[in-house]
Amino acid sequence: MTKPTNQSWGGRFSEPTDAFVARFTASVDFDQRLAEHDIRGSIAHATMLARVGVLSEAERDAIIGGLGEIAEEIARGEFAWSVPLEDVHMNIEARLTDKIGITGKKLHTGRSRNDQVATDIRLFLRDEIDVVDAELSRLREGLIELASREADTIMPGFTHLQTAQPVTFGHHLLAWQEMVARDQQRLADCRKRVNVMPLGAAALAGTTYPIDRHVTAELLGFDRPAENSLDAVSDRDFAIEFTAFASLLLMHLSRMSEELVLWTSAQFDFIDLPDRFCTGSSIMPQKKNPDVPELVRGKSGRVYGHLISLLTLMKSQPLAYNKDNQEDKEPLFDTLDTVKGCLRAFADMIPAIEAKPDNMRDAARRGFSTATDLADYLVRKGVAFRDAHEIVGQSVAYGIEQRKDLSEMSLDELRQFSDEIGDDVFEVLTLEGSVAARNHIGGTAPDQVRAAAQRARDDLARRPA
């Protein structure tokens, strides 16, 4: 009889795995970061097995004690990871058997590596989602507070990157806040589907042992066990969904980054970023480069790639588990690392932004940004909107020719386009009058901006810890 080639599955094999294949198929180099969650899942599994009588209390205690010692070894950096043992699960199980003997081999009763890894990833992702959620809250807080400070700071609003109408810097920042708030809602929704327990599905068809999956789910803080054993071990929708959330978040952060890059340029000069978030040039001494937003903008493509990778990974897999699924971890891990890094950078940077109100105001005065206000003024005087639109278009053409903004024209100059224009027109042609006139929920009036900021604060305060 040949000697088993692998302690977890080698009994049916007559020769050892090729050395290259062993390295090629091993995942321990990257999945060892699941060790804490693997141990947590194993402790819950052993506790449940003892409760239903599959393990004795003494066996349970020996397993839990050994796993605790292993966790300490890993934390101290003393654990020796082995590639021939393939993955984090077998490394920990083998070490447990070394420590407590044959009882260690009983831990795997009633489960498979298929449901074990699916459980570990969900436990890991659930914890990481909570970290990401906290950073999203911190970013939203920074945006809300900066928006409150800048509720009266006038700047140009743009469409097609052309001056459109005056807004306030606070109003613009709250638009960013809305993006992030939606991202946080999506993340909370994603967490609900992550928090379903696969353990107990075993390889694909459940187990004949009298396990109690509800006990294990409660011990691990899952909302419920997965309903179908085939789906439980092969589902990676939750990882794809998280990466889709991350792609949307990075798209939003990239849009914000683009505006930050523009606004720090000499051509706009709307804001200043602290030196600690910028770098210089090796050849041009005057340069101050907005590297943090530029790098965040670039990392969006990295996360998009991981989403496509996971979708492609799953698109042709038959039920149930396949070795392809080993490739789910690195895209997910890197997505998490990228998201946490980008959020930390933004949450630190946003509150430190310094606005340049004079430059913003000067920019808002250019480009006839109150033209729509003049059209609305004429409509209120009884002029049909299309006629008002034509009248204002003519006045803008005149302003371009004379190099005058609408607010710089005399009453006589304005009245040459319509007799309906009176002395009160200048109230709507000022930048302050323009933003204040849009005094409705979601509008640009400073009081509305402050009220919107308070509603956002209240929304954050209502979020569960």
Side-chain angles (χ1 to χ4, degrees):
M1 182 175 178
T2 57
K3 183 179 178 181
T5 59
N6 182 292
Q7 63 178 296
S8 68
W9 49 259
R12 138 314 163 251
F13 285 74
S14 60
E15 63 177 346
T17 305
D18 180 85
F20 166 75
V21 173
R23 289 193 303 273
F24 183 71
T25 59
S27 59
V28 69
D29 287 344
F30 53 84
D31 70 12
Q32 61 184 260
R33 69 190 291 177
L34 297 174
E36 174 192 340
H37 302 86
D38 190 74
I39 290 171
R40 194 191 309 174
S42 291
I43 288 173
H45 183 63
T47 302
M48 181 275 295
L49 289 178
R51 193 171 298 186
V52 299
V54 174
L55 294 178
S56 70
E57 291 187 0
E59 289 171 330
R60 175 201 63 197
D61 293 344
I63 288 171
I64 292 175
L67 289 171
E69 292 175 10
I70 292 170
E72 292 174 1
E73 290 177 5
I74 293 171
R76 292 193 301 266
E78 298 172 358
F79 191 90
W81 297 100
S82 167
V83 170
L85 289 173
E86 298 183 7
D87 57 32
V88 60
H89 323 294
M90 289 312 305
N91 269 265
I92 290 173
E93 185 178 323
R95 178 62 178 145
L96 180 65
T97 301
D98 289 343
K99 293 178 77 68
I100 67 172
I102 194 170
T103 300
K105 295 184 177 182
K106 295 185 177 184
L107 172 61
H108 208 54
T109 305
R111 74 177 183 185
S112 161
R113 279 193 294 179
N114 294 357
D115 62 339
Q116 185 179 359
V117 65
T119 302
D120 290 358
I121 297 173
R122 286 176 183 264
L123 287 171
F124 169 79
L125 182 55
R126 186 182 68 188
D127 285 353
E128 292 292 291
I129 282 175
D130 293 342
V131 173
V132 172
D133 183 74
E135 286 294 277
L136 286 167
S137 291
R138 198 163 69 91
L139 174 55
R140 288 181 65 192
E141 288 167 2
L143 287 166
I144 292 165
E145 294 312 309
L146 184 57
S148 298
R149 292 202 309 267
E150 304 295 344
D152 295 287
T153 302
I154 292 175
M155 68 176 292
F158 299 94
T159 64
H160 308 276
L161 207 54
Q162 307 297 312
T163 299
Q165 290 179 277
V167 298
T168 70
F169 188 34
H171 188 66
H172 196 113
L173 291 166
L174 288 180
W176 291 0
Q177 195 281 143
E178 289 294 312
M179 296 178 187
V180 182
R182 291 194 297 273
D183 291 325
Q184 194 166 32
Q185 291 165 4
R186 271 185 284 268
L187 183 64
D189 201 44
C190 172
R191 192 188 191 280
K192 295 175 185 176
R193 281 176 286 282
V194 170
N195 205 33
V196 177
M197 189 191 73
L199 201 59
L204 78 161
T207 177
T208 59
Y209 294 97
I211 62 173
D212 189 333
R213 298 183 68 214
H214 291 283
V215 168
T216 319
E218 183 178 352
L219 289 170
L220 291 172
F222 284 109
D223 292 334
R224 61 178 176 85
E227 285 286 342
N228 182 280
S229 61
L230 285 168
D231 182 61
V233 297
S234 60
D235 169 43
R236 292 299 182 269
D237 290 2
F238 63 93
I240 295 171
E241 187 173 356
F242 177 83
T243 313
F245 145 80
S247 297
L248 277 166
L249 171 64
L250 264 292
M251 179 268 288
H252 288 147
L253 295 183
S254 182
R255 293 183 70 186
M256 298 176 203
S257 295
E258 175 70 8
E259 292 187 315
L260 290 171
V261 171
L262 287 171
W263 292 348
T264 55
S265 70
Q267 289 71 29
F268 279 78
D269 199 22
F270 284 180
I271 64 168
D272 186 54
L273 293 178
D275 289 354
R276 63 185 179 276
F277 297 105
C278 302
T279 64
S281 165
S282 62
I283 189 172
M284 295 169 284
Q286 85 282 8
K287 292 295 294 299
K288 179 179 175 180
N289 300 324
D291 277 15
V292 167
E294 287 178 348
L295 190 56
V296 170
R297 185 177 60 188
K299 285 182 181 292
S300 61
R302 182 188 191 114
V303 173
Y304 295 174
H306 292 323
L307 174 59
I308 297 301
S309 175
L310 288 172
L311 286 167
T312 306
L313 174 71
M314 297 304 299
K315 76 174 181 64
S316 299
Q317 285 199 38
L319 290 171
Y321 184 85
N322 299 278
K323 188 67 170 179
D324 313 44
N325 285 347
Q326 183 169 295
E327 291 295 301
D328 64 353
K329 297 170 194 65
E330 289 177 290
L332 180 62
F333 292 163
D334 189 71
T335 296
L336 279 160
D337 293 342
T338 301
V339 164
K340 289 190 293 183
C342 291
L343 281 174
R344 177 179 176 178
F346 257 67
D348 289 346
M349 178 178 63
I350 290 295
I353 289 174
E354 293 290 338
K356 298 183 177 181
D358 292 341
N359 293 353
M360 288 183 175
R361 196 178 193 287
D362 287 345
R365 289 180 64 251
R366 299 190 295 272
F368 304 95
S369 63
T370 58
T372 303
D373 297 279
L374 179 56
D376 292 341
Y377 167 88
L378 289 168
V379 169
R380 288 193 295 272
K381 294 285 187 177
V383 179
F385 180 78
R386 283 300 167 205
D387 292 336
H389 192 286
E390 178 68 19
I391 291 166
V392 176
Q394 292 172 359
S395 64
V396 167
Y398 174 82
I400 293 171
E401 181 183 325
Q402 298 298 316
R403 296 187 178 179
K404 287 183 178 181
D405 186 68
L406 294 172
S407 61
E408 297 171 329
M409 296 180 192
S410 68
L411 180 59
D412 288 341
E413 286 177 299
L414 289 168
R415 283 180 62 85
Q416 67 181 306
F417 304 107
S418 174
D419 293 337
E420 298 296 334
I421 297 176
D423 290 337
D424 57 346
V425 71
F426 294 103
E427 296 174 12
V428 305
L429 293 182
T430 64
L431 298 175
E432 288 77 12
S434 176
V435 297
R438 296 186 284 278
N439 190 20
H440 53 76
I441 186 169
T444 60
D447 286 345
Q448 291 292 343
V449 172
R450 282 184 277 269
Q454 186 57 52
R455 287 193 296 273
R457 279 192 204 93
D458 294 342
D459 177 67
L460 267 177
R462 287 191 296 267
R463 291 187 58 76

mmCIF file of all heavy atoms in Angstrom, residues 131-146:
data_model
loop_
_atom_site.group_PDB
_atom_site.id
_atom_site.type_symbol
_atom_site.label_atom_id
_atom_site.label_comp_id
_atom_site.label_asym_id
_atom_site.label_seq_id
_atom_site.Cartn_x
_atom_site.Cartn_y
_atom_site.Cartn_z
ATOM 1 N N VAL A 131 -15.168 48.041 8.732
ATOM 2 C CA VAL A 131 -14.073 49.012 8.690
ATOM 3 C C VAL A 131 -14.313 50.040 7.591
ATOM 4 O O VAL A 131 -14.155 51.253 7.789
ATOM 5 C CB VAL A 131 -12.719 48.295 8.473
ATOM 6 C CG1 VAL A 131 -11.595 49.310 8.261
ATOM 7 C CG2 VAL A 131 -12.400 47.381 9.654
ATOM 8 N N VAL A 132 -14.708 49.563 6.415
ATOM 9 C CA VAL A 132 -14.992 50.463 5.293
ATOM 10 C C VAL A 132 -16.149 51.397 5.635
ATOM 11 O O VAL A 132 -16.108 52.596 5.337
ATOM 12 C CB VAL A 132 -15.300 49.646 4.018
ATOM 13 C CG1 VAL A 132 -15.796 50.555 2.891
ATOM 14 C CG2 VAL A 132 -14.061 48.879 3.565
ATOM 15 N N ASP A 133 -17.169 50.852 6.290
ATOM 16 C CA ASP A 133 -18.326 51.666 6.667
ATOM 17 C C ASP A 133 -17.909 52.803 7.596
ATOM 18 O O ASP A 133 -18.380 53.940 7.451
ATOM 19 C CB ASP A 133 -19.374 50.784 7.332
ATOM 20 C CG ASP A 133 -20.635 51.555 7.688
ATOM 21 O OD1 ASP A 133 -21.400 51.877 6.765
ATOM 22 O OD2 ASP A 133 -20.847 51.838 8.881
ATOM 23 N N ALA A 134 -17.036 52.516 8.533
ATOM 24 C CA ALA A 134 -16.570 53.559 9.453
ATOM 25 C C ALA A 134 -15.808 54.651 8.711
ATOM 26 O O ALA A 134 -15.953 55.845 9.013
ATOM 27 C CB ALA A 134 -15.691 52.940 10.541
ATOM 28 N N GLU A 135 -15.023 54.272 7.716
ATOM 29 C CA GLU A 135 -14.292 55.270 6.931
ATOM 30 C C GLU A 135 -15.234 56.094 6.054
ATOM 31 O O GLU A 135 -15.023 57.295 5.858
ATOM 32 C CB GLU A 135 -13.235 54.585 6.065
ATOM 33 C CG GLU A 135 -12.022 54.100 6.840
ATOM 34 C CD GLU A 135 -11.221 55.251 7.427
ATOM 35 O OE1 GLU A 135 -10.398 55.846 6.723
ATOM 36 O OE2 GLU A 135 -11.449 55.570 8.623
ATOM 37 N N LEU A 136 -16.284 55.450 5.537
ATOM 38 C CA LEU A 136 -17.287 56.207 4.781
ATOM 39 C C LEU A 136 -17.964 57.241 5.671
ATOM 40 O O LEU A 136 -18.198 58.379 5.250
ATOM 41 C CB LEU A 136 -18.337 55.252 4.206
ATOM 42 C CG LEU A 136 -17.911 54.403 3.006
ATOM 43 C CD1 LEU A 136 -18.940 53.300 2.760
ATOM 44 C CD2 LEU A 136 -17.748 55.255 1.758
ATOM 45 N N SER A 137 -18.275 56.864 6.901
ATOM 46 C CA SER A 137 -18.876 57.823 7.842
ATOM 47 C C SER A 137 -17.921 58.971 8.113
ATOM 48 O O SER A 137 -18.336 60.137 8.168
ATOM 49 C CB SER A 137 -19.242 57.114 9.151
ATOM 50 O OG SER A 137 -20.320 56.223 8.968
ATOM 51 N N ARG A 138 -16.651 58.648 8.263
ATOM 52 C CA ARG A 138 -15.664 59.705 8.529
ATOM 53 C C ARG A 138 -15.538 60.656 7.348
ATOM 54 O O ARG A 138 -15.436 61.881 7.524
ATOM 55 C CB ARG A 138 -14.310 59.060 8.864
ATOM 56 C CG ARG A 138 -13.327 59.991 9.573
ATOM 57 C CD ARG A 138 -12.228 59.195 10.230
ATOM 58 N NE ARG A 138 -11.345 58.565 9.295
ATOM 59 C CZ ARG A 138 -10.231 59.126 8.823
ATOM 60 N NH1 ARG A 138 -9.902 60.366 9.165
ATOM 61 N NH2 ARG A 138 -9.451 58.468 7.990
ATOM 62 N N LEU A 139 -15.566 60.110 6.132
ATOM 63 C CA LEU A 139 -15.516 60.963 4.944
ATOM 64 C C LEU A 139 -16.758 61.831 4.857
ATOM 65 O O LEU A 139 -16.673 63.038 4.572
ATOM 66 C CB LEU A 139 -15.377 60.101 3.690
ATOM 67 C CG LEU A 139 -15.454 60.822 2.341
ATOM 68 C CD1 LEU A 139 -14.435 61.957 2.254
ATOM 69 C CD2 LEU A 139 -15.267 59.832 1.182
ATOM 70 N N ARG A 140 -17.922 61.250 5.113
ATOM 71 C CA ARG A 140 -19.158 62.042 5.063
ATOM 72 C C ARG A 140 -19.133 63.157 6.112
ATOM 73 O O ARG A 140 -19.555 64.285 5.840
ATOM 74 C CB ARG A 140 -20.369 61.128 5.287
ATOM 75 C CG ARG A 140 -20.670 60.209 4.117
ATOM 76 C CD ARG A 140 -21.905 59.351 4.408
ATOM 77 N NE ARG A 140 -23.101 60.184 4.530
ATOM 78 C CZ ARG A 140 -24.261 59.744 4.993
ATOM 79 N NH1 ARG A 140 -24.375 58.471 5.408
ATOM 80 N NH2 ARG A 140 -25.302 60.540 5.055
ATOM 81 N N GLU A 141 -18.656 62.856 7.290
ATOM 82 C CA GLU A 141 -18.569 63.885 8.334
ATOM 83 C C GLU A 141 -17.693 65.045 7.878
ATOM 84 O O GLU A 141 -18.029 66.216 8.084
ATOM 85 C CB GLU A 141 -18.002 63.278 9.618
ATOM 86 C CG GLU A 141 -18.972 62.359 10.347
ATOM 87 C CD GLU A 141 -18.285 61.533 11.425
ATOM 88 O OE1 GLU A 141 -17.057 61.714 11.615
ATOM 89 O OE2 GLU A 141 -18.965 60.712 12.069
ATOM 90 N N GLY A 142 -16.558 64.716 7.256
ATOM 91 C CA GLY A 142 -15.664 65.763 6.767
ATOM 92 C C GLY A 142 -16.316 66.617 5.694
ATOM 93 O O GLY A 142 -16.176 67.850 5.691
ATOM 94 N N LEU A 143 -17.029 65.975 4.773
ATOM 95 C CA LEU A 143 -17.717 66.714 3.718
ATOM 96 C C LEU A 143 -18.814 67.606 4.297
ATOM 97 O O LEU A 143 -18.976 68.768 3.886
ATOM 98 C CB LEU A 143 -18.324 65.736 2.709
ATOM 99 C CG LEU A 143 -17.342 65.021 1.773
ATOM 100 C CD1 LEU A 143 -18.027 63.859 1.071
ATOM 101 C CD2 LEU A 143 -16.760 65.996 0.755
ATOM 102 N N ILE A 144 -19.564 67.082 5.245
ATOM 103 C CA ILE A 144 -20.664 67.846 5.842
ATOM 104 C C ILE A 144 -20.138 69.069 6.582
ATOM 105 O O ILE A 144 -20.680 70.181 6.449
ATOM 106 C CB ILE A 144 -21.485 66.941 6.779
ATOM 107 C CG1 ILE A 144 -22.240 65.877 5.968
ATOM 108 C CG2 ILE A 144 -22.471 67.765 7.613
ATOM 109 C CD1 ILE A 144 -22.777 64.730 6.814
ATOM 110 N N GLU A 145 -19.090 68.886 7.349
ATOM 111 C CA GLU A 145 -18.556 70.015 8.127
ATOM 112 C C GLU A 145 -17.939 71.074 7.209
ATOM 113 O O GLU A 145 -18.113 72.273 7.430
ATOM 114 C CB GLU A 145 -17.526 69.524 9.145
ATOM 115 C CG GLU A 145 -18.122 68.648 10.230
ATOM 116 C CD GLU A 145 -19.387 69.247 10.842
ATOM 117 O OE1 GLU A 145 -19.367 70.421 11.247
ATOM 118 O OE2 GLU A 145 -20.421 68.537 10.886
ATOM 119 N N LEU A 146 -17.221 70.657 6.198
ATOM 120 C CA LEU A 146 -16.650 71.621 5.255
ATOM 121 C C LEU A 146 -17.761 72.339 4.498
ATOM 122 O O LEU A 146 -17.696 73.558 4.276
ATOM 123 C CB LEU A 146 -15.706 70.910 4.284
ATOM 124 C CG LEU A 146 -14.953 71.804 3.286
ATOM 125 C CD1 LEU A 146 -14.132 72.867 4.002
ATOM 126 C CD2 LEU A 146 -14.067 70.958 2.368
#
